[in-house]
Amino acid sequence: MENTALITNDGIIFGLLAAILGLIFYTQSSSNSFWQKFYKWVPALLLCYFIPSLLNTFGIVDGANTAIYPLVMDYLLPACLVLLTLSLDLKAIFRLGPKLLILFLTGTVGIVIGGPIALLLVSVIFPEMLGGAGPDAVWRGMTTIAGSWIGGGANQAAMKEVYEVGGEIFSAMVTVDIIVANLWMAVLLYMAANHKAIDKRIGADTSAIEAIKERMEHYEAEHRRESKLPDLMFIVAVAFGVTGLAHWGADVIAPFISDNVPALKDFSLDKKFFWLIVIATTVGVALSFTRVRQLEGVGASKYGSMFVYILVATIGLHMDVTAIVDVPKYFLIGAIWMIIHASLMLIVARLLKAPVFYMAIGSQANVGGAASAPVVASAFHPSLAPVGVLLAVFGYALGTYMAYICGQILRVIAAG
């Protein structure tokens, strides 16, 4: 497809993203009263996500036709996961307790039942949404959103094949998936920036989360020293050395499973991206038990956080709100679907008096997967990024099965 955007050079686009991030952080750290009041209400992380989306929305950049996104996902994402897990306290994460898992599963259930309910509600206004046995039937297209929102791209592709989804409805549903999921991510980033006030209002017990933060900060303070060039090179070596190892492992394991254990395809275990994330995270966790952990004293997690902000800006580059105009009826389904998912999450979180973090990660691990769950988690604190990865991997395993169940319910409803 021809790229008709104003700027098509990836070098210029990346420079624009860097300039935008620099400007946001410059104004955020300004002592000017206007900026202090502005950032009191508008989180910097949300701006890092929203402003790049304007470049895509107004045709300055075509986010779908830039090589920056795959490059960032393939190299910076695993590298940042390594750096953010170096100072991991695995015991502390396990102390987060069952509420986190309950909210994750609540999010899954919300997506499974939300789709059919949304289809029923919208069919009251647009009866033509029901019925249709052909490949472009609305219910078939919705199964791909269910796959994406419970697991990820691999699960979405699986649903496309399982339910024989036509190309036209699939394209429309991909647009809905991207817009609605990104809008919800923006809401979660806003909640992350204001989580203390929200947690206080609902009386949530945040002691386990605070314990992780304090242990990490204590470790950093205890081992903090002035960073020198060798330290920075060690950080680069560890981050991208492990990323290289993860790529090698993914290149070996994924094809082996695809050729020899096809039954595991249902768990997305034949996808290289899955193994890239799993290996990078696993090695990062393993290194947290070694002397490499001491790199936190020279700011390893800060470099990981820097990569996260680049990730956020790059994800924002894929957002085009004006695409809603092309698929208004389908967008209505997606919006109602997400509202049902979000409402269920908020109700259960309130009943459990669970922290906002649990709700946000339980939701994003479903809807966003391994690419964005650690981004949202690190918006609360860098040390919490691995929690997002662990839940997202669980989502990959559940995705195909739960989306299949959702698809069967949608089939029954569409048949009337």
Side-chain angles (χ1 to χ4, degrees):
M1 188 173 72
E2 186 182 354
N3 191 340
T4 58
L6 185 64
I7 301 174
T8 58
N9 185 305
D10 287 334
I12 299 173
I13 295 169
F14 190 77
L16 267 176
L17 292 182
I20 289 168
L21 292 174
L23 184 62
I24 291 169
F25 276 87
Y26 177 78
T27 52
Q28 185 198 30
S29 59
S30 171
S31 57
N32 183 286
S33 59
F34 169 79
W35 290 117
Q36 287 183 341
K37 290 176 183 176
F38 178 81
Y39 283 105
K40 183 179 179 182
W41 297 103
V42 182
L45 188 60
L46 187 58
L47 282 184
C48 295
Y49 174 79
F50 178 70
I51 294 178
S53 76
L54 298 180
L55 299 177
N56 190 48
T57 299
F58 293 108
I60 299 170
V61 170
D62 184 355
N65 281 313
T66 172
I68 294 173
Y69 184 82
L71 187 146
V72 166
M73 288 297 157
D74 286 345
Y75 302 107
L76 290 193
L77 176 58
C80 90
L81 291 175
V82 173
L83 295 178
L84 293 176
T85 50
L86 281 182
S87 56
L88 177 70
D89 189 332
L90 212 53
K91 289 181 180 178
I93 284 182
F94 288 139
R95 287 194 206 105
L96 289 174
K99 288 182 181 180
L100 184 61
L101 185 58
I102 291 171
L103 278 166
F104 170 79
L105 294 174
T106 298
T108 303
V109 171
I111 292 166
V112 171
I113 66 173
I117 293 172
L119 180 60
L120 275 175
L121 291 175
V122 175
S123 68
V124 174
I125 307 171
F126 304 105
E128 67 274 15
M129 290 284 192
L130 295 179
D136 285 311
V138 174
W139 73 268
R140 292 184 192 274
M142 289 177 68
T143 64
T144 64
I145 293 182
S148 175
W149 284 359
I150 299 173
N155 308 90
Q156 182 181 43
M159 289 303 100
K160 184 178 186 299
E161 296 303 316
V162 168
Y163 286 104
E164 300 176 336
V165 181
E168 188 176 329
I169 192 68
F170 179 66
S171 297
M173 290 302 173
V174 166
T175 303
V176 172
D177 171 14
I178 292 170
I179 292 173
V180 176
N182 278 280
L183 287 174
W184 177 236
M185 181 176 168
V187 172
L188 293 178
L189 291 176
Y190 182 82
M191 294 176 75
N194 298 278
H195 69 278
K196 289 184 179 179
I198 301 172
D199 286 336
K200 185 177 180 181
R201 194 178 306 134
I202 64 175
D205 179 12
T206 60
S207 56
I209 299 173
E210 293 304 318
I212 293 178
K213 294 180 186 177
E214 287 174 14
R215 287 165 78 103
M216 181 176 179
E217 287 163 5
H218 176 73
Y219 184 88
E220 184 184 359
E222 188 179 330
H223 294 84
R224 185 181 296 135
R225 64 183 190 277
E226 181 186 353
S227 59
K228 298 179 181 178
L229 183 59
D231 296 315
L232 302 183
M233 293 310 297
F234 290 151
I235 289 174
V236 170
V238 169
F240 292 101
V242 173
T243 297
L245 177 66
H247 273 279
W248 174 78
D251 285 344
V252 172
I253 298 172
F256 177 83
I257 288 176
S258 181
D259 295 339
N260 298 283
V261 199
L264 294 180
K265 289 183 179 181
D266 289 340
F267 294 92
S268 303
L269 297 182
D270 63 327
K271 302 300 178 184
K272 289 183 180 180
F273 184 76
F274 173 87
W275 287 107
L276 177 64
I277 299 305
V278 169
I279 294 171
T281 305
T282 303
V283 176
V285 171
L287 290 176
S288 71
F289 293 97
T290 71
R291 290 179 61 188
V292 177
R293 177 185 172 93
Q294 294 176 7
L295 287 176
E296 179 57 30
V298 287
S301 64
K302 289 183 175 62
Y303 289 95
S305 298
M306 177 181 69
F307 291 162
V308 166
Y309 279 95
I310 297 174
L311 275 166
V312 170
T314 308
I315 292 171
L317 209 57
H318 267 57
M319 180 74 162
D320 181 4
V321 181
T322 59
I324 294 170
V325 179
D326 300 327
V327 286
K329 292 186 290 188
Y330 303 136
F331 174 75
L332 184 59
I333 286 180
I336 294 172
W337 195 344
M338 186 59 74
I339 288 170
I340 292 168
H341 162 80
S343 299
L344 193 59
M345 294 291 290
L346 291 168
I347 291 168
V348 173
R350 188 65 187 264
L351 290 173
L352 294 175
K353 289 190 175 181
V356 173
F357 170 73
Y358 288 13
M359 189 282 295
I361 296 310
S363 175
Q364 194 62 25
N366 275 291
V367 177
S372 58
V375 172
V376 172
S378 63
F380 289 85
H381 196 272
S383 62
L384 298 172
V387 181
V389 179
L390 294 173
L391 278 184
V393 168
F394 188 33
Y396 279 139
L398 281 179
T400 300
Y401 295 103
M402 298 307 290
Y404 178 79
I405 292 171
C406 180
Q408 291 302 312
I409 299 172
L410 286 166
R411 186 202 295 269
V412 171
I413 289 174

